[in-house]
Amino acid sequence: MKLSPLIKGIITAVAMTGFSFFAYSNIAEASGLHYLVYLIYALGIVWALMAFRMSPAFTGSFKDSFSVGFRCFIIATLIMAVYTYTFARMHPEFAEKNAKAYKEQLVKEIKPTMPSDIEAMEKQVASYKKGYELALVYGSIFGYLIIGAGLTAIGSALLTRRT
């Protein structure tokens, strides 16, 4: 059965979300094992590129190889963005915890003494908390796009050199 790069991207994203959920439930927050989700992402892109390399459609062209990798990583990125947003909405305690840490950082840096300073800081913390989910999703999208484009470009260049 031949799977398209789109389907491989969906399978990759399902594996990533499954691991992320497992990691949240079973792995300590400070553990570096949470970064294994990026390894899963990389393996999905490599899988799509190598399968294309073995197919009769392979032309040896960088553009064609990159296109295959792009279709894989773009759908995985989209699914991970939706997952990140949904997960953040389901766990508002993360926004609360991070807003508290942000406030502590501001207190250390600014050392507010005037009521106007304290009020301004409170507004800044409230704004941070309100935009937490969106910032998390933006960061997720940007990170996955950069990693996906980089891996796809490197993988495509290597496949092109081997032809």
Side-chain angles (χ1 to χ4, degrees), residues 19-155:
F19 177 78
S20 293
F21 191 72
F22 170 80
Y24 167 72
S25 304
N26 299 299
I27 299 174
E29 189 177 330
S31 174
L33 292 176
H34 288 272
Y35 292 106
L36 286 176
V37 73
Y38 294 107
L39 178 62
I40 295 168
Y41 186 52
L43 290 173
I45 293 169
V46 169
W47 174 36
L49 290 174
M50 293 307 295
F52 177 66
R53 169 78 166 97
M54 303 299 177
S55 76
F58 181 70
T59 61
S61 156
F62 177 85
K63 179 184 125 187
D64 292 342
S65 294
F66 189 86
S67 176
V68 166
F70 178 82
R71 290 193 307 264
C72 175
F73 84 73
I74 203 70
I75 191 67
T77 298
L78 175 66
I79 292 169
M80 287 307 292
V82 171
Y83 168 77
T84 300
Y85 177 76
T86 304
F87 191 81
R89 293 285 292 177
M90 291 173 58
H91 296 281
E93 67 271 15
F94 291 140
E96 190 69 43
K97 177 182 168 187
N98 283 301
K100 182 179 176 188
Y102 181 58
K103 182 178 181 178
E104 290 171 2
Q105 178 186 350
L106 285 177
V107 167
K108 286 179 187 174
E109 290 176 3
I110 299 172
K111 296 180 178 60
T113 53
M114 302 293 289
S116 61
D117 293 342
I118 294 170
E119 185 179 321
M121 185 187 68
E122 291 294 334
K123 284 183 182 179
Q124 200 171 355
V125 170
S127 177
Y128 175 87
K129 185 177 172 183
K130 183 178 177 187
Y132 177 78
E133 293 166 0
L134 197 55
L136 204 60
V137 172
Y138 280 154
S140 170
I141 291 170
F142 185 72
Y144 286 123
L145 286 178
I146 294 296
I147 292 168
L151 286 171
T152 301
I154 291 168

